[in-house]
Amino acid sequence: MESVARPARTAVKVLARADASASGRRKPRCDKHRPRRTPRPVFWQTRATRRRGAEAQTRAPARVSARAANDMFGLGQLRSPTWHVPMPFLTGEDRPDAALWREHLANRHRMGRELRARGVRDVPWSSFDRALGVAMTCFTFGLWIVSGAGTIAMFALGGAWTRAIVAAYAIASLFSARRFSQRVYDYCAALEVGERNGWDLIVKGDVDCARAAHIFCSHPHGLFCAGVSLNLILSRRGLDAVRARSIRLFVHSLLVSAFPVVKDWLRTLGFQPCTAAHMRRALDAGLNAAIVPGGVKEVVWSGRVDRERLYLKNVFGFCKLALQTGAPLVPVYTFGESLSVGPDWLPFFESRRRLSYLLDAPIRYLSLTQRWLLPFPNGRLVTVVGAPLAVGERTENPTRKQVGELHARYCAALLELIESTKEEAGYGSQVTELV
């Protein structure tokens, strides 16, 4: 009986296939083209099927609740180095007017894609030179922040021997200050820290430092002046683009005169105190100078998520210096600098700004964990170098009118440089304001 039924069923199947081929209907090739089967009633399901269904229903709300918690507290953002502060509801980055921060993040993703297109992994150890450059940068920027506070804490809280060592180091530094080393400078410039980590340099003007010393005016200050330092000053590619052998960056006097360890390292790289006497001496000697006109007052404006603000309206000293030395002014702007250490999410901004102006010291959010959770600026920093502004013959005692006219020319040239290059740099909707 059974031997007779099997051929019968086989014959029925063959006839069904023949009818389907004759009518033009084809058998589905995969399961997604098959019509969905109606689930069996519960009393037809096996015990194992009912158990799997119950486990799936239990896991689904857990996954939804975990995703909601990550979105609420920003915990999911810890998995990516794109984010600086894993608390978007505090930083203000989710605000409707946080256009500058959103563009910064978009450029961060763009940098990652460009590195992958070059076949480079976005990790510090992708090459020996890159690892060495990242280590040097983290060492410098980390000491930039903790050196002063650490020294004060050691002297105040340490024992007698600790205080004696700190005092002896400070006294010895006064009589044996480190000097600039061209060999160390060239080695650091050959590391190309900016280019190896996805940053870029755009030179729009014809700058020839071989003919005369120039004053490079960098904006914005940010926290570390990382863009101008690693894309231009400590970059062989940047130095060749402006035909310079070296550029001396003038920074806050405490960094190169008082803070231990970091001052010796910065002086070896040619950094000098930002005073009129030091800058005048360097320019008279034919050395190229780089300054940040906004100074520490501009640091407090860094980290705003809505628009870029440059402290420049009431800064005239660099124009007077240019008139006195006859050195051309070169506007330099770095896109992404102000947000490279994340948004400044601390409250009471207006009170902090006034106190920062009064103390001449920035009071803002500081972080030692940016890219790869290291003190390395996070973002795609694009440094743009504009055309030099000629100031004419030297004028030892320029008038207020001369200084004001040069200042107006420089501000107009800087804004024009930013507006003409922001599309190319990836910040097409950026709004820049002078304060």
Side-chain angles (χ1 to χ4, degrees), residues 91-372:
T91 61
E93 62 195 53
D94 292 338
R95 285 168 25 195
D97 61 341
L100 186 61
W101 174 247
R102 284 190 286 271
E103 279 195 326
H104 180 80
L105 293 179
N107 276 276
R108 175 64 178 84
H109 290 295
R110 173 184 174 181
M111 179 182 67
R113 292 193 300 269
E114 291 175 349
L115 287 173
R116 288 192 296 270
R118 288 159 45 187
V120 179
R121 295 177 59 199
D122 191 12
V123 292
W125 54 85
S126 62
S127 67
F128 176 78
D129 289 341
R130 186 181 183 185
L132 187 59
V134 170
M136 179 195 71
T137 305
C138 294
F139 170 78
T140 305
F141 291 163
L143 285 178
W144 194 304
I145 294 178
V146 305
S147 179
T151 303
I152 296 174
M154 290 173 60
F155 193 82
L157 305 177
W161 279 105
T162 303
R163 296 178 181 178
I165 292 174
V166 172
Y169 176 84
I171 295 173
S173 300
L174 294 177
F175 297 99
S176 60
R178 296 285 297 180
R179 294 185 177 182
F180 170 69
S181 173
Q182 185 69 48
R183 183 177 180 180
V184 175
Y185 182 91
D186 291 339
Y187 182 81
C188 293
L191 293 176
E192 296 290 356
V193 179
E195 183 182 9
R196 293 182 188 275
N197 288 280
W199 300 358
D200 199 7
L201 174 69
I202 303 174
V203 180
K204 288 297 184 179
D206 185 14
V207 184
D208 189 359
C209 295
R211 294 183 178 180
H214 288 63
I215 302 177
F216 294 86
C217 303
S218 176
H219 312 270
H221 189 292
L223 189 60
F224 300 123
C225 306
V228 68
S229 298
L230 300 177
N231 284 335
L232 179 63
I233 299 175
L234 293 174
S235 167
R236 179 47 53 193
R237 179 185 62 154
L239 294 172
D240 292 342
V242 298
R243 305 178 186 91
R245 188 182 180 190
S246 65
I247 301 175
R248 309 299 174 88
L249 179 61
F250 292 84
V251 297
H252 199 286
S253 299
L254 291 177
L255 287 173
V256 291
S257 300
F259 292 175
V261 183
V262 67
K263 70 181 183 63
D264 300 321
W265 171 241
L266 293 180
R267 281 188 175 273
T268 304
L269 296 178
F271 290 26
Q272 297 186 19
C274 189
T275 62
H278 284 86
M279 288 187 286
R280 180 72 180 269
R281 191 180 306 119
L283 292 170
D284 289 340
L287 301 176
N288 300 295
I291 62 174
V292 186
V296 296
K297 292 183 175 65
E298 196 172 67
V299 178
V300 74
W301 287 102
S302 301
R304 313 309 296 169
V305 296
D306 53 350
R307 61 176 60 190
E308 184 75 282
R309 295 173 177 85
L310 305 178
Y311 184 81
L312 194 59
K313 277 187 176 181
N314 298 317
V315 182
F316 299 94
F318 69 102
C319 295
K320 181 179 179 180
L321 178 67
L323 291 171
Q324 290 176 336
T325 59
L329 292 175
V330 182
V332 180
Y333 181 82
T334 300
F335 291 93
E337 178 76 60
S338 61
L339 286 169
S340 61
V341 295
D344 180 12
W345 53 271
L346 295 180
F348 310 110
F349 171 75
E350 189 61 28
S351 301
R352 291 189 289 114
R353 181 191 66 81
R354 294 179 180 178
L355 188 59
S356 298
Y357 284 13
L358 180 63
L359 300 177
D360 197 27
I363 303 175
R364 57 150 294 170
Y365 166 76
L366 298 177
S367 172
L368 285 176
T369 56
Q370 288 101 40
R371 193 170 174 181
W372 311 300

Side-chain angles (χ1 to χ4, degrees), residues 42 47 57 84 126 146 177 215 220 271 276 357 395 407:
V42 176
R47 184 177 300 175
Q57 292 178 0
H84 306 267
S126 62
V146 305
I215 302 177
F271 290 26
Y357 284 13
T395 305
H407 183 269

